[in-house]
Amino acid sequence: MTENKTEELEKVYAGIKTAGGREAFVERRLEELGLAVERKPTEDMGKKKLAAYKRALKAEAAERASLMRKTWEAHVAHHVVHVGEGVYWNDDDDWDKYDHPRADERIAQNELPKLDSPAALAEALGLSVPELRWLTYHREAATSIHYDRFTIPKNNGSGVRAIWAPKPKLKAVQRWILREIAERLPVHGAAHGFIGGRSIFTNASRHTGSKVIVKMDLKDFFPSVTFPRVKGVFRKAGYREQVATLLALLCTEPPREVVEHDGKTYYVAMGPRCLPQGAPTSPAITNALALRLDRRLDGLSKYLGWRYTSYADDLTFSLPAGHEGEEKLGSLLGGVRMIVGEEGFTIHPDKTRVMRSGRRQMVTGMIVNGEGTPRVPREIRRRARAVAHNVEAGKPIKAGESLQTWLGYAAYIYMTDKELGAALLKQLA
């Protein structure tokens, strides 16, 4: 849009606000242009007078149509209007019955940006309202989307995992939402994933010196967190209907299949909008959403004498070595399954593991047997030393591996053994 066109639409929009609406603005403008025609009966009009009356009506209708187009352009430059198929949108700036009764108080408590309207959200994100609409618009079958798809091997070697990474424009927006909103929402003390000051090491540290450790995984974790649940997180934070809807649209995307038809590529939705695995906002939103789940599981664990932590979809329970009395393992497993189901998630049936002190106990990739700090498995440390030595000597890294992978392992080792980790990082760098 040219600068002159933008200025013209801004003037029109200002006129609409002054007049009190589009229709009122059009009527006022017709009056100013001398094109408003007073309606009269035509039965007694002569031929010339009737022809002149019809010409005046025609001129008025043409100008009215032109003004209505301009006012609509000005309106959509400042309003979202519509966000796509099947997504409820109310473009009126009013209160919704589901808005939080103490919204401003909630916003202030969490030190969140005050966003009273879609226009305020667009301004905070450095976008125009049309750009915001473009990033949030939902289509069941789209010819282009705001994500790039790639796959990575699953940890258990059973196939590949699809990752949907946001493109630069959306990624910048999601990083703002992460920094200014998602990371500021309340989370439970038992949560350790993707939270400042917490890590796989702090998660594992909670479970050293355990008589029994139970590991459970949540199945389809991110796909379980659908658009209404994400919108609910933002509404609970204190944002009103419109802004919460837009924030949820910016943070969700349906799982899609790539389909070729008549020489065109389509990205077809295969389910509801949910948190994409690859968006920077997804982990922080799940942490906030799981606050009640973590609270309930922590309460159950304490009641039975166990300890509890979560790291994203990874749930860990441990019974301290000094615990006396019954283990109550059956009560724990049954209670966890019930609570997880009530909170809208599912325990993965094939990934529950019970590890007793007589065998290796692993939590988020670290060995936690005994009372000491968690350790990285010896085989990984040994392999990291060998790779670092080869890199320093100018030898190539094994096919299928990369320097970045082993720098990651070195940082991983640094968490538990700073001296060895620092030496490996130096050699690899």
Side-chain angles (χ1 to χ4, degrees):
M1 190 182 294
T2 64
E3 190 174 336
N4 289 341
K5 179 72 170 176
T6 303
E7 288 178 5
E8 181 188 3
L9 291 180
E10 287 301 316
K11 285 179 182 177
V12 171
Y13 188 68
I16 293 170
K17 290 175 74 176
T18 302
R22 292 174 61 211
E23 294 285 349
F25 170 79
V26 169
E27 295 304 326
R28 178 183 292 183
R29 190 75 185 114
L30 288 171
E31 291 279 354
E32 291 170 352
L33 294 170
L35 293 172
V37 179
E38 182 185 350
R39 269 43 178 185
K40 299 176 182 178
T42 58
E43 292 85 355
D44 299 327
M45 286 185 185
K47 223 175 196 181
K48 285 186 179 181
K49 197 172 182 181
L50 180 60
Y53 182 63
K54 286 181 176 179
R55 282 196 300 272
L57 288 175
K58 191 173 181 180
E60 182 198 58
E63 185 60 28
R64 183 186 298 277
S66 174
L67 287 169
M68 288 301 289
R69 282 194 299 272
K70 284 180 182 176
T71 57
W72 179 248
E73 284 184 65
H75 181 80
V76 297
H78 291 83
H79 294 79
V80 171
V81 181
H82 183 49
V83 287
E85 308 160 32
V87 183
Y88 171 74
W89 180 257
N90 173 19
D91 212 38
D92 295 328
D93 187 21
D94 58 4
W95 286 89
D96 182 270
K97 65 178 180 178
Y98 296 111
D99 287 334
H100 198 282
R102 298 186 306 279
D104 291 341
E105 185 182 321
R106 276 292 178 93
I107 294 290
Q109 281 176 348
N110 295 319
E111 299 181 346
L112 304 180
K114 193 170 168 60
L115 305 169
D116 292 330
S117 66
L121 175 61
E123 184 179 1
L125 295 172
L127 302 171
S128 65
V129 171
E131 284 177 319
L132 179 60
R133 182 169 55 245
W134 171 66
L135 284 174
T136 56
Y137 201 89
H138 173 75
R139 288 183 176 87
E140 289 294 312
T143 54
S144 65
I145 57 174
H146 300 291
Y147 289 82
D148 289 317
R149 181 183 186 274
F150 62 91
T151 59
I152 59 172
K154 290 186 177 179
N155 291 335
N156 58 11
S158 63
V160 296
R161 188 187 311 278
I163 304 295
W164 291 89
K167 292 178 179 177
K169 190 91 173 177
L170 179 59
K171 191 172 188 176
V173 165
Q174 289 179 344
R175 281 179 169 164
W176 185 92
I177 295 171
L178 173 66
R179 182 177 65 252
E180 301 296 332
I181 300 175
E183 286 185 335
R184 300 184 182 193
L185 299 176
V187 298
H188 195 271
H192 289 259
F194 312 97
I195 299 171
R198 305 182 202 177
S199 64
I200 57 174
F201 178 74
T202 62
N203 184 63
S205 296
R206 184 82 177 95
H207 301 285
T208 57
S210 296
K211 184 178 180 180
V212 188
I213 291 177
V214 175
K215 299 273 294 169
M216 304 176 86
D217 281 19
L218 299 178
K219 186 179 180 184
D220 299 327
F221 187 47
F222 285 156
S224 298
V225 184
T226 53
F227 170 78
R229 300 181 78 179
V230 177
K231 181 177 172 181
V233 169
F234 291 118
R235 298 208 74 169
K236 189 176 179 181
Y239 289 113
R240 291 168 56 186
E241 164 69 26
Q242 292 174 315
V243 171
T245 297
L246 294 172
L247 287 169
L249 287 168
L250 289 167
C251 296
T252 58
E253 176 72 7
R256 294 184 183 271
E257 287 291 335
V258 183
V259 177
E260 300 289 337
H261 181 69
D262 286 343
K264 283 188 175 181
T265 300
Y266 293 91
Y267 300 88
V268 181
M270 304 302 289
R273 293 184 76 95
C274 58
L275 292 178
Q277 189 153 336
T281 42
S282 294
I285 289 172
T286 55
N287 282 336
L289 180 70
L291 175 61
R292 194 171 73 168
L293 171 67
D294 287 332
R295 185 184 295 137
R296 293 183 69 189
L297 291 178
D298 189 53
L300 172 69
S301 301
K302 286 176 178 174
Y303 176 74
L304 297 174
W306 290 66
R307 300 174 295 198
Y308 164 72
T309 63
S310 67
Y311 194 96
D313 58 349
D314 193 349
L315 312 180
T316 307
F317 306 85
S318 64
L319 190 67
H323 178 80
E324 296 179 3
E326 294 181 44
E327 291 182 359
K328 298 182 180 177
L329 180 59
S331 298
L332 176 75
L333 295 175
V336 170
R337 288 193 179 94
M338 182 189 72
I339 291 170
V340 166
E342 289 176 351
E343 293 299 323
F345 295 100
T346 306
I347 295 292
H348 198 297
D350 304 324
K351 291 189 176 181
T352 296
R353 299 175 297 285
V354 178
M355 300 171 285
R356 298 190 177 274
S357 56
R359 53 173 286 197
R360 177 188 276 190
Q361 295 173 322
M362 298 275 290
V363 176
T364 43
M366 295 185 172
I367 300 170
V368 295
N369 293 75
E371 297 293 340
T373 58
R375 290 97 63 202
V376 173
R378 186 180 303 167
E379 54 270 26
I380 293 178
R381 286 179 284 152
R382 186 183 297 123
R383 175 70 181 136
R385 283 194 189 97
V387 170
H389 176 75
N390 288 340
V391 168
E392 196 172 42
K395 295 179 182 179
I397 292 175
K398 184 180 175 182
E401 298 177 353
S402 71
L403 180 61
Q404 289 302 317
T405 299
W406 285 102
L407 281 167
Y409 274 120
Y412 171 47
I413 292 167
Y414 183 82
M415 279 193 260
T416 63
D417 186 338
K418 287 186 166 41
E419 186 178 344
L420 175 58
L424 292 172
L425 286 166
K426 185 177 179 181
Q427 285 177 289
L428 290 167

mmCIF file of all heavy atoms in Angstrom, residues 15-54:
data_model
loop_
_atom_site.group_PDB
_atom_site.id
_atom_site.type_symbol
_atom_site.label_atom_id
_atom_site.label_comp_id
_atom_site.label_asym_id
_atom_site.label_seq_id
_atom_site.Cartn_x
_atom_site.Cartn_y
_atom_site.Cartn_z
ATOM 1 N N GLY A 15 -12.616 9.906 10.121
ATOM 2 C CA GLY A 15 -13.963 10.421 9.839
ATOM 3 C C GLY A 15 -15.037 9.463 10.320
ATOM 4 O O GLY A 15 -16.078 9.884 10.847
ATOM 5 N N ILE A 16 -14.805 8.169 10.156
ATOM 6 C CA ILE A 16 -15.772 7.154 10.621
ATOM 7 C C ILE A 16 -15.945 7.247 12.136
ATOM 8 O O ILE A 16 -17.061 7.206 12.654
ATOM 9 C CB ILE A 16 -15.299 5.742 10.216
ATOM 10 C CG1 ILE A 16 -15.332 5.573 8.689
ATOM 11 C CG2 ILE A 16 -16.164 4.668 10.874
ATOM 12 C CD1 ILE A 16 -14.668 4.308 8.179
ATOM 13 N N LYS A 17 -14.820 7.375 12.860
ATOM 14 C CA LYS A 17 -14.879 7.451 14.321
ATOM 15 C C LYS A 17 -15.617 8.706 14.778
ATOM 16 O O LYS A 17 -16.413 8.684 15.713
ATOM 17 C CB LYS A 17 -13.456 7.420 14.892
ATOM 18 C CG LYS A 17 -12.775 6.067 14.739
ATOM 19 C CD LYS A 17 -11.343 6.092 15.191
ATOM 20 C CE LYS A 17 -11.224 6.146 16.694
ATOM 21 N NZ LYS A 17 -9.810 6.077 17.137
ATOM 22 N N THR A 18 -15.350 9.809 14.063
ATOM 23 C CA THR A 18 -16.010 11.078 14.418
ATOM 24 C C THR A 18 -17.508 10.999 14.155
ATOM 25 O O THR A 18 -18.323 11.479 14.959
ATOM 26 C CB THR A 18 -15.401 12.244 13.613
ATOM 27 O OG1 THR A 18 -14.000 12.310 13.873
ATOM 28 C CG2 THR A 18 -16.059 13.565 13.976
ATOM 29 N N ALA A 19 -17.872 10.397 13.017
ATOM 30 C CA ALA A 19 -19.288 10.328 12.630
ATOM 31 C C ALA A 19 -20.062 9.310 13.457
ATOM 32 O O ALA A 19 -21.291 9.392 13.570
ATOM 33 C CB ALA A 19 -19.399 9.980 11.145
ATOM 34 N N GLY A 20 -19.344 8.327 14.020
ATOM 35 C CA GLY A 20 -20.016 7.309 14.832
ATOM 36 C C GLY A 20 -20.337 6.043 14.082
ATOM 37 O O GLY A 20 -21.184 5.255 14.506
ATOM 38 N N GLY A 21 -19.666 5.819 12.954
ATOM 39 C CA GLY A 21 -19.881 4.574 12.207
ATOM 40 C C GLY A 21 -19.756 4.795 10.716
ATOM 41 O O GLY A 21 -19.760 5.935 10.230
ATOM 42 N N ARG A 22 -19.672 3.696 9.972
ATOM 43 C CA ARG A 22 -19.486 3.784 8.515
ATOM 44 C C ARG A 22 -20.686 4.407 7.820
ATOM 45 O O ARG A 22 -20.539 5.277 6.963
ATOM 46 C CB ARG A 22 -19.217 2.394 7.943
ATOM 47 C CG ARG A 22 -17.875 1.791 8.344
ATOM 48 C CD ARG A 22 -17.750 0.354 7.863
ATOM 49 N NE ARG A 22 -17.836 0.274 6.424
ATOM 50 C CZ ARG A 22 -18.336 -0.773 5.755
ATOM 51 N NH1 ARG A 22 -18.833 -1.794 6.420
ATOM 52 N NH2 ARG A 22 -18.350 -0.782 4.435
ATOM 53 N N GLU A 23 -21.886 3.941 8.172
ATOM 54 C CA GLU A 23 -23.098 4.456 7.517
ATOM 55 C C GLU A 23 -23.242 5.956 7.767
ATOM 56 O O GLU A 23 -23.539 6.724 6.838
ATOM 57 C CB GLU A 23 -24.335 3.714 8.054
ATOM 58 C CG GLU A 23 -24.394 2.238 7.694
ATOM 59 C CD GLU A 23 -24.767 2.011 6.241
ATOM 60 O OE1 GLU A 23 -25.175 2.989 5.573
ATOM 61 O OE2 GLU A 23 -24.628 0.861 5.769
ATOM 62 N N ALA A 24 -23.012 6.373 8.994
ATOM 63 C CA ALA A 24 -23.153 7.805 9.332
ATOM 64 C C ALA A 24 -22.107 8.631 8.579
ATOM 65 O O ALA A 24 -22.401 9.747 8.108
ATOM 66 C CB ALA A 24 -22.990 7.998 10.836
ATOM 67 N N PHE A 25 -20.880 8.082 8.451
ATOM 68 C CA PHE A 25 -19.829 8.789 7.722
ATOM 69 C C PHE A 25 -20.220 8.962 6.253
ATOM 70 O O PHE A 25 -20.056 10.041 5.667
ATOM 71 C CB PHE A 25 -18.509 8.028 7.813
ATOM 72 C CG PHE A 25 -17.433 8.552 6.905
ATOM 73 C CD1 PHE A 25 -16.701 9.692 7.236
ATOM 74 C CD2 PHE A 25 -17.164 7.941 5.677
ATOM 75 C CE1 PHE A 25 -15.721 10.188 6.388
ATOM 76 C CE2 PHE A 25 -16.191 8.429 4.821
ATOM 77 C CZ PHE A 25 -15.462 9.560 5.184
ATOM 78 N N VAL A 26 -20.763 7.905 5.654
ATOM 79 C CA VAL A 26 -21.149 7.964 4.231
ATOM 80 C C VAL A 26 -22.248 9.003 4.024
ATOM 81 O O VAL A 26 -22.185 9.812 3.078
ATOM 82 C CB VAL A 26 -21.601 6.575 3.738
ATOM 83 C CG1 VAL A 26 -22.247 6.677 2.353
ATOM 84 C CG2 VAL A 26 -20.411 5.612 3.689
ATOM 85 N N GLU A 27 -23.242 8.994 4.902
ATOM 86 C CA GLU A 27 -24.341 9.962 4.761
ATOM 87 C C GLU A 27 -23.817 11.396 4.900
ATOM 88 O O GLU A 27 -24.207 12.294 4.143
ATOM 89 C CB GLU A 27 -25.425 9.700 5.815
ATOM 90 C CG GLU A 27 -26.144 8.375 5.659
ATOM 91 C CD GLU A 27 -26.788 8.202 4.284
ATOM 92 O OE1 GLU A 27 -27.260 9.211 3.700
ATOM 93 O OE2 GLU A 27 -26.805 7.063 3.788
ATOM 94 N N ARG A 28 -22.931 11.607 5.867
ATOM 95 C CA ARG A 28 -22.370 12.950 6.059
ATOM 96 C C ARG A 28 -21.564 13.370 4.838
ATOM 97 O O ARG A 28 -21.656 14.521 4.390
ATOM 98 C CB ARG A 28 -21.482 12.956 7.305
ATOM 99 C CG ARG A 28 -20.822 14.321 7.553
ATOM 100 C CD ARG A 28 -19.889 14.277 8.752
ATOM 101 N NE ARG A 28 -20.617 14.093 10.009
ATOM 102 C CZ ARG A 28 -20.033 14.075 11.201
ATOM 103 N NH1 ARG A 28 -18.720 14.231 11.305
ATOM 104 N NH2 ARG A 28 -20.755 13.910 12.302
ATOM 105 N N ARG A 29 -20.787 12.460 4.299
ATOM 106 C CA ARG A 29 -19.933 12.795 3.137
ATOM 107 C C ARG A 29 -20.784 13.098 1.907
ATOM 108 O O ARG A 29 -20.457 14.012 1.134
ATOM 109 C CB ARG A 29 -18.994 11.619 2.856
ATOM 110 C CG ARG A 29 -17.910 11.938 1.854
ATOM 111 C CD ARG A 29 -16.825 12.794 2.478
ATOM 112 N NE ARG A 29 -15.849 13.173 1.455
ATOM 113 C CZ ARG A 29 -15.652 14.405 1.039
ATOM 114 N NH1 ARG A 29 -16.361 15.410 1.545
ATOM 115 N NH2 ARG A 29 -14.745 14.675 0.129
ATOM 116 N N LEU A 30 -21.872 12.370 1.710
ATOM 117 C CA LEU A 30 -22.771 12.647 0.583
ATOM 118 C C LEU A 30 -23.370 14.044 0.706
ATOM 119 O O LEU A 30 -23.522 14.766 -0.296
ATOM 120 C CB LEU A 30 -23.883 11.589 0.522
ATOM 121 C CG LEU A 30 -23.460 10.186 0.058
ATOM 122 C CD1 LEU A 30 -24.599 9.199 0.267
ATOM 123 C CD2 LEU A 30 -23.036 10.202 -1.417
ATOM 124 N N GLU A 31 -23.700 14.414 1.924
ATOM 125 C CA GLU A 31 -24.228 15.767 2.166
ATOM 126 C C GLU A 31 -23.176 16.807 1.803
ATOM 127 O O GLU A 31 -23.472 17.814 1.141
ATOM 128 C CB GLU A 31 -24.612 15.919 3.641
ATOM 129 C CG GLU A 31 -25.824 15.104 4.069
ATOM 130 C CD GLU A 31 -27.131 15.788 3.709
ATOM 131 O OE1 GLU A 31 -27.084 16.946 3.223
ATOM 132 O OE2 GLU A 31 -28.192 15.168 3.900
ATOM 133 N N GLU A 32 -21.918 16.580 2.258
ATOM 134 C CA GLU A 32 -20.836 17.534 1.995
ATOM 135 C C GLU A 32 -20.557 17.683 0.502
ATOM 136 O O GLU A 32 -20.220 18.777 0.026
ATOM 137 C CB GLU A 32 -19.550 17.078 2.710
ATOM 138 C CG GLU A 32 -19.638 17.187 4.227
ATOM 139 C CD GLU A 32 -18.459 16.515 4.930
ATOM 140 O OE1 GLU A 32 -17.642 15.838 4.255
ATOM 141 O OE2 GLU A 32 -18.356 16.665 6.157
ATOM 142 N N LEU A 33 -20.699 16.604 -0.243
ATOM 143 C CA LEU A 33 -20.442 16.631 -1.693
ATOM 144 C C LEU A 33 -21.657 17.127 -2.486
ATOM 145 O O LEU A 33 -21.579 17.274 -3.715
ATOM 146 C CB LEU A 33 -20.055 15.229 -2.181
ATOM 147 C CG LEU A 33 -18.729 14.676 -1.645
ATOM 148 C CD1 LEU A 33 -18.592 13.208 -1.999
ATOM 149 C CD2 LEU A 33 -17.551 15.480 -2.219
ATOM 150 N N GLY A 34 -22.774 17.377 -1.810
ATOM 151 C CA GLY A 34 -23.982 17.836 -2.495
ATOM 152 C C GLY A 34 -24.627 16.746 -3.310
ATOM 153 O O GLY A 34 -25.353 17.028 -4.277
ATOM 154 N N LEU A 35 -24.377 15.470 -2.951
ATOM 155 C CA LEU A 35 -24.911 14.348 -3.736
ATOM 156 C C LEU A 35 -26.052 13.634 -3.028
ATOM 157 O O LEU A 35 -26.642 12.704 -3.586
ATOM 158 C CB LEU A 35 -23.798 13.340 -4.042
ATOM 159 C CG LEU A 35 -22.702 13.835 -4.989
ATOM 160 C CD1 LEU A 35 -21.567 12.826 -5.065
ATOM 161 C CD2 LEU A 35 -23.282 14.083 -6.383
ATOM 162 N N ALA A 36 -26.360 14.052 -1.790
ATOM 163 C CA ALA A 36 -27.471 13.412 -1.079
ATOM 164 C C ALA A 36 -28.787 13.840 -1.728
ATOM 165 O O ALA A 36 -29.028 15.031 -1.946
ATOM 166 C CB ALA A 36 -27.451 13.806 0.392
ATOM 167 N N VAL A 37 -29.607 12.890 -2.060
ATOM 168 C CA VAL A 37 -30.870 13.174 -2.758
ATOM 169 C C VAL A 37 -32.046 12.942 -1.810
ATOM 170 O O VAL A 37 -32.158 11.871 -1.202
ATOM 171 C CB VAL A 37 -31.014 12.270 -4.001
ATOM 172 C CG1 VAL A 37 -32.340 12.556 -4.717
ATOM 173 C CG2 VAL A 37 -29.838 12.483 -4.943
ATOM 174 N N GLU A 38 -32.895 13.933 -1.709
ATOM 175 C CA GLU A 38 -34.100 13.768 -0.901
ATOM 176 C C GLU A 38 -35.100 12.941 -1.692
ATOM 177 O O GLU A 38 -35.398 13.230 -2.849
ATOM 178 C CB GLU A 38 -34.707 15.153 -0.596
ATOM 179 C CG GLU A 38 -35.938 15.079 0.283
ATOM 180 C CD GLU A 38 -36.587 16.443 0.476
ATOM 181 O OE1 GLU A 38 -35.971 17.459 0.080
ATOM 182 O OE2 GLU A 38 -37.711 16.485 1.012
ATOM 183 N N ARG A 39 -35.597 11.866 -1.093
ATOM 184 C CA ARG A 39 -36.541 10.982 -1.786
ATOM 185 C C ARG A 39 -37.906 11.664 -1.915
ATOM 186 O O ARG A 39 -38.416 12.253 -0.940
ATOM 187 C CB ARG A 39 -36.696 9.680 -1.015
ATOM 188 C CG ARG A 39 -35.741 8.557 -1.409
ATOM 189 C CD ARG A 39 -34.338 8.989 -1.633
ATOM 190 N NE ARG A 39 -33.434 7.894 -1.966
ATOM 191 C CZ ARG A 39 -32.156 8.032 -2.112
ATOM 192 N NH1 ARG A 39 -31.609 9.249 -1.985
ATOM 193 N NH2 ARG A 39 -31.397 7.019 -2.421
ATOM 194 N N LYS A 40 -38.457 11.610 -3.160
ATOM 195 C CA LYS A 40 -39.742 12.237 -3.460
ATOM 196 C C LYS A 40 -40.603 11.280 -4.279
ATOM 197 O O LYS A 40 -40.058 10.431 -5.001
ATOM 198 C CB LYS A 40 -39.530 13.518 -4.281
ATOM 199 C CG LYS A 40 -38.708 14.587 -3.578
ATOM 200 C CD LYS A 40 -38.472 15.761 -4.530
ATOM 201 C CE LYS A 40 -37.604 16.830 -3.861
ATOM 202 N NZ LYS A 40 -37.326 17.955 -4.792
ATOM 203 N N PRO A 41 -41.935 11.426 -4.204
ATOM 204 C CA PRO A 41 -42.797 10.604 -5.084
ATOM 205 C C PRO A 41 -42.610 11.032 -6.540
ATOM 206 O O PRO A 41 -42.402 12.209 -6.831
ATOM 207 C CB PRO A 41 -44.216 10.914 -4.587
ATOM 208 C CG PRO A 41 -44.102 12.202 -3.847
ATOM 209 C CD PRO A 41 -42.717 12.275 -3.295
ATOM 210 N N THR A 42 -42.667 10.092 -7.471
ATOM 211 C CA THR A 42 -42.365 10.380 -8.888
ATOM 212 C C THR A 42 -43.619 10.436 -9.762
ATOM 213 O O THR A 42 -43.532 10.739 -10.957
ATOM 214 C CB THR A 42 -41.416 9.290 -9.451
ATOM 215 O OG1 THR A 42 -42.052 8.008 -9.293
ATOM 216 C CG2 THR A 42 -40.090 9.304 -8.731
ATOM 217 N N GLU A 43 -44.795 10.155 -9.161
ATOM 218 C CA GLU A 43 -46.017 10.061 -9.992
ATOM 219 C C GLU A 43 -46.315 11.361 -10.746
ATOM 220 O O GLU A 43 -46.734 11.345 -11.912
ATOM 221 C CB GLU A 43 -47.240 9.708 -9.114
ATOM 222 C CG GLU A 43 -47.203 8.313 -8.531
ATOM 223 C CD GLU A 43 -46.408 8.245 -7.239
ATOM 224 O OE1 GLU A 43 -45.811 9.282 -6.847
ATOM 225 O OE2 GLU A 43 -46.325 7.160 -6.633
ATOM 226 N N ASP A 44 -46.081 12.518 -10.112
ATOM 227 C CA ASP A 44 -46.459 13.796 -10.721
ATOM 228 C C ASP A 44 -45.286 14.511 -11.393
ATOM 229 O O ASP A 44 -45.412 15.671 -11.790
ATOM 230 C CB ASP A 44 -47.070 14.721 -9.664
ATOM 231 C CG ASP A 44 -48.338 14.136 -9.047
ATOM 232 O OD1 ASP A 44 -49.062 13.425 -9.782
ATOM 233 O OD2 ASP A 44 -48.567 14.366 -7.842
ATOM 234 N N MET A 45 -44.117 13.842 -11.497
ATOM 235 C CA MET A 45 -42.948 14.483 -12.122
ATOM 236 C C MET A 45 -43.069 14.459 -13.638
ATOM 237 O O MET A 45 -43.516 13.464 -14.222
ATOM 238 C CB MET A 45 -41.647 13.756 -11.735
ATOM 239 C CG MET A 45 -41.187 14.000 -10.319
ATOM 240 S SD MET A 45 -39.569 13.213 -10.032
ATOM 241 C CE MET A 45 -39.356 13.540 -8.295
ATOM 242 N N GLY A 46 -42.629 15.561 -14.246
ATOM 243 C CA GLY A 46 -42.561 15.580 -15.691
ATOM 244 C C GLY A 46 -41.370 14.756 -16.178
ATOM 245 O O GLY A 46 -40.542 14.298 -15.400
ATOM 246 N N LYS A 47 -41.299 14.652 -17.527
ATOM 247 C CA LYS A 47 -40.261 13.809 -18.108
ATOM 248 C C LYS A 47 -38.871 14.306 -17.741
ATOM 249 O O LYS A 47 -38.002 13.531 -17.325
ATOM 250 C CB LYS A 47 -40.414 13.805 -19.632
ATOM 251 C CG LYS A 47 -40.265 12.456 -20.259
ATOM 252 C CD LYS A 47 -40.555 12.526 -21.747
ATOM 253 C CE LYS A 47 -40.793 11.128 -22.265
ATOM 254 N NZ LYS A 47 -41.053 11.126 -23.708
ATOM 255 N N LYS A 48 -38.632 15.612 -17.918
ATOM 256 C CA LYS A 48 -37.302 16.176 -17.663
ATOM 257 C C LYS A 48 -36.951 16.092 -16.178
ATOM 258 O O LYS A 48 -35.829 15.753 -15.795
ATOM 259 C CB LYS A 48 -37.252 17.643 -18.126
ATOM 260 C CG LYS A 48 -37.166 17.804 -19.624
ATOM 261 C CD LYS A 48 -36.965 19.258 -19.986
ATOM 262 C CE LYS A 48 -36.864 19.424 -21.508
ATOM 263 N NZ LYS A 48 -36.653 20.838 -21.880
ATOM 264 N N LYS A 49 -37.935 16.408 -15.333
ATOM 265 C CA LYS A 49 -37.686 16.372 -13.898
ATOM 266 C C LYS A 49 -37.398 14.949 -13.420
ATOM 267 O O LYS A 49 -36.523 14.710 -12.570
ATOM 268 C CB LYS A 49 -38.901 16.939 -13.161
ATOM 269 C CG LYS A 49 -38.610 17.324 -11.723
ATOM 270 C CD LYS A 49 -39.795 18.061 -11.121
ATOM 271 C CE LYS A 49 -39.455 18.464 -9.698
ATOM 272 N NZ LYS A 49 -40.586 19.164 -9.049
ATOM 273 N N LEU A 50 -38.123 13.979 -13.983
ATOM 274 C CA LEU A 50 -37.911 12.568 -13.612
ATOM 275 C C LEU A 50 -36.534 12.103 -14.050
ATOM 276 O O LEU A 50 -35.836 11.407 -13.293
ATOM 277 C CB LEU A 50 -39.007 11.704 -14.243
ATOM 278 C CG LEU A 50 -38.925 10.198 -13.939
ATOM 279 C CD1 LEU A 50 -39.023 9.943 -12.437
ATOM 280 C CD2 LEU A 50 -40.018 9.425 -14.694
ATOM 281 N N ALA A 51 -36.129 12.519 -15.264
ATOM 282 C CA ALA A 51 -34.808 12.121 -15.768
ATOM 283 C C ALA A 51 -33.706 12.711 -14.889
ATOM 284 O O ALA A 51 -32.710 12.041 -14.560
ATOM 285 C CB ALA A 51 -34.651 12.577 -17.214
ATOM 286 N N ALA A 52 -33.882 13.985 -14.498
ATOM 287 C CA ALA A 52 -32.885 14.638 -13.636
ATOM 288 C C ALA A 52 -32.838 13.959 -12.261
ATOM 289 O O ALA A 52 -31.763 13.767 -11.670
ATOM 290 C CB ALA A 52 -33.219 16.117 -13.484
ATOM 291 N N TYR A 53 -34.020 13.594 -11.727
ATOM 292 C CA TYR A 53 -34.105 12.920 -10.435
ATOM 293 C C TYR A 53 -33.381 11.565 -10.484
ATOM 294 O O TYR A 53 -32.626 11.203 -9.562
ATOM 295 C CB TYR A 53 -35.581 12.742 -10.073
ATOM 296 C CG TYR A 53 -35.821 12.092 -8.722
ATOM 297 C CD1 TYR A 53 -35.398 12.697 -7.548
ATOM 298 C CD2 TYR A 53 -36.491 10.868 -8.638
ATOM 299 C CE1 TYR A 53 -35.631 12.104 -6.311
ATOM 300 C CE2 TYR A 53 -36.734 10.267 -7.406
ATOM 301 C CZ TYR A 53 -36.290 10.888 -6.244
ATOM 302 O OH TYR A 53 -36.523 10.296 -5.027
ATOM 303 N N LYS A 54 -33.586 10.832 -11.586
ATOM 304 C CA LYS A 54 -32.937 9.523 -11.748
ATOM 305 C C LYS A 54 -31.421 9.663 -11.863
ATOM 306 O O LYS A 54 -30.667 8.858 -11.323
ATOM 307 C CB LYS A 54 -33.499 8.796 -12.974
ATOM 308 C CG LYS A 54 -34.897 8.256 -12.761
ATOM 309 C CD LYS A 54 -35.387 7.509 -14.008
ATOM 310 C CE LYS A 54 -36.756 6.887 -13.759
ATOM 311 N NZ LYS A 54 -37.273 6.176 -14.964
#
